[in-house]
């Protein structure tokens, strides 16, 4: 076996690591933006909402690329909707 040989399991682990790194970067950017615009409390809530949206997302198993931005958009939409509801109660 040569050093150039990479097994399927190794490729899958590498692919998963890349997906997780991209997800972490997207989540971090979202939280940072919310923090800069609305403060730490909103940023913390935004992070929880982002994770919930990630859990709700139904990804096709054969998808070569995951569009993490869709998770961010859904989380931002929920954050805005939640704030609108809170403002209307005030």
């Amino acid at each position: 076996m040569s050093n150039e040989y990479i097994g399927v399991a190794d490729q899958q682990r590498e692919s998963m690591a890349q997906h997780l790194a991209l997800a972490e970067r997207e989540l971090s950017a979202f939280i940072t933006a919310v923090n800069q615009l609305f403060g730490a409390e909103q940023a913390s809530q935004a992070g929880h909402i982002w994770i919930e949206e990630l859990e709700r997302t139904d990804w096709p198993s054969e998808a070569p690329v995951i569009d993490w931005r869709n998770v961010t958009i859904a989380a931002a939409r929920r954050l805005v909707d939640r704030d609108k509801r809170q403002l209307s109660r005030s």
Side-chain angles (χ1 to χ4, degrees):
M1 181 164 73
S2 75
N3 290 339
E4 295 175 14
Y5 176 77
I6 298 176
V8 172
D10 293 332
Q11 289 174 347
Q12 288 173 340
R13 277 192 293 276
E14 184 176 315
S15 177
M16 180 59 71
Q18 290 170 343
H19 284 304
L20 291 174
L22 291 172
E24 183 178 3
R25 188 178 317 154
E26 184 71 21
L27 173 58
S28 177
F30 180 57
I31 290 172
T32 299
V34 173
N35 185 49
Q36 289 175 350
L37 293 169
F38 306 107
E41 184 178 330
Q42 289 288 338
S44 176
Q45 293 173 5
H48 291 293
I49 290 171
W50 196 95
I51 298 291
E52 289 172 1
E53 285 301 322
L54 174 63
E55 291 171 345
R56 291 179 176 185
T57 303
D58 184 26
W59 303 106
S61 60
E62 68 279 350
V65 176
I66 297 174
D67 188 358
W68 299 109
R69 189 62 44 94
N70 287 336
V71 176
T72 300
I73 291 168
R77 186 178 302 122
R78 276 186 55 199
L79 195 60
V80 168
D81 288 346
R82 188 197 60 165
D83 287 347
K84 282 182 183 178
R85 284 192 306 272
Q86 287 177 350
L87 286 174
S88 68
R89 291 180 194 151
S90 300

